[in-house]
Amino acid sequence: MSLNEKEKRILEIIRENPFIAQQELADDIGLSRSATANLISGLVKKDYLLGKAYVLNEEEPIICIGGANIDRRYLIKDTLIQGTSNKVQSRTNVGGVARNVAENLGRLEEEVMLFSVAGNDAEWTMIEKHSEHFMNVKAVDKIEGSPTGTFMEVIDANGEMVLGLAEVDIFDKMTPEWISKHLSVLKRAKYLIIDSNCPKETIEFLNGFAIKYKIPIALLTVSVQRLANLPIFLNGIKMLITKHSETEAYFNMTITTDDDLKEAINRWLDKGIENVIISKGSTKIAFGNQESGTYIFNYTGEQDDRYNWGMNEALCAGLIHSRLQGKSIKESASIGLTNAYLTSQSLYVVRPNLAKNQLQNEYNSYLSKEGFYK
């Protein structure tokens, strides 16, 4: 059906901001709110829009749901001395597991939307200004009176985290009622990526929703403390990405050897998850799925087995991007591992030189290096 100029203009505006308020939309096109509502209703009937939240019918985004926060890290220059001040080098980054995955995917030219909550404060402004170049952040709800999530970590001279502090009560507001406002958008998702900053009830709701609408879902753990947010039943999860320390705490086990890692993978798989990845520091990653068994990837000796940030998010994005390009699960995992490895070599949570063609070339280059993947 042909569209008039006002209808075309409405679609242009909505394409830029699917969550624009109807009054703002009316002001932009120079009509009353009621006249604008009639035009929107007509676009829904003509199948150009899917209804409230104004989702364009051709859009199938990847939706990342979870944390968007500020990370502050303090790197101790000398030996840590308790009970006194220590010389440090500080870094402040835009972070959050779901947000980090979204930025990786945006740099890989995927269409991404971020669902999160934040305060109406300077920290959110910093996150928004950085993130909006790589993802749609219009669905992030700003909550008055609640501060944007903040993480603070102290890293010793050996690269080990000796103290971590988190002000993240705002993430508890990501309830099933909150996510239900976005169901029309969620139905169009080609992939849902969730981090365990989301409350348990929300993850359970999203898992059931994804099963109903046959949407693949990836779940990333964010900390030992947030393991309590994992549902008891994990059937339907397409991909779980976690750290060995979190797996140790979850199953009350010790992971030292490759055999321990394989046992841990199998324990997760027994819970009904299709694919599982466990990272151990920055030198070893275990991958397993229901069909082809378990593989251990050891990086070359160039790496130290120390704390690194952003690796699991980089791995998740590279893997899912590759799967959506039609690559096999094993090749996709290897491409994700390449992105994770190179992120660990960077000073950034998301490396600024990441690009779609470059990642493929990097994978081809590192694959040819004997011993990179063992």
Side-chain angles (χ1 to χ4, degrees), residues 160-171:
E160 299 292 337
M161 182 175 69
V162 295
L163 177 65
L165 302 173
E167 186 177 16
V168 293
D169 287 350
I170 193 170
F171 294 153

Side-chain angles (χ1 to χ4, degrees), residues 11 14-15 43-51 53-61 111 184 187-189:
L11 291 180
I14 289 172
R15 185 172 282 107
L43 289 168
V44 171
K45 290 177 181 178
K46 294 175 182 179
D47 289 332
Y48 283 95
L49 293 175
L50 295 179
Y54 312 138
V55 186
L56 297 176
N57 202 20
E58 73 269 16
E59 290 182 355
E60 292 184 347
E111 180 186 347
S184 58
K187 289 177 184 178
R188 297 293 296 172

Side-chain angles (χ1 to χ4, degrees), residues 90-146:
S90 64
R91 296 178 187 164
T92 299
N93 295 296
V94 171
V97 170
R99 196 220 66 85
N100 291 347
V101 175
E103 182 177 338
N104 273 276
L105 287 167
R107 290 180 181 273
L108 292 172
E109 301 179 24
E110 296 286 355
E111 180 186 347
V112 192
M113 299 184 72
L114 175 66
F115 287 5
S116 188
V117 291
N120 190 10
D121 51 25
E123 284 75 16
W124 166 245
T125 299
M126 179 180 174
I127 295 169
E128 182 179 32
K129 286 183 177 179
H130 176 87
S131 304
E132 62 186 1
H133 303 290
F134 311 105
M135 68 198 77
N136 187 324
V137 297
K138 301 299 182 182
V140 177
D141 285 335
K142 292 175 282 297
I143 301 174
E144 295 291 342
S146 294

Side-chain angles (χ1 to χ4, degrees), residues 206-218:
L206 287 166
N207 192 28
F209 182 90
I211 291 171
K212 179 179 179 180
Y213 290 98
K214 298 180 180 178
I215 304 168
I217 187 168

Side-chain angles (χ1 to χ4, degrees), residues 327-338:
K327 300 183 187 299
S328 71
I329 184 65
K330 190 173 181 182
E331 182 179 5
S332 296
S334 297
I335 293 173
L337 289 167
T338 302

Side-chain angles (χ1 to χ4, degrees), residues 19 22 26 63 68 84 103 107 112 128 146 153 169 182 209 248 255-256 270 275 277 290 300 343:
F19 294 87
Q22 197 171 94
I63 298 179
T84 187
E103 182 177 338
R107 290 180 181 273
V112 192
E128 182 179 32
S146 294
E153 297 176 333
D169 287 350
H182 305 299
F209 182 90
E248 286 180 324
I255 299 175
T256 304
D270 287 344
N275 301 280
I277 290 177
Q290 296 285 0
T300 57
T343 298

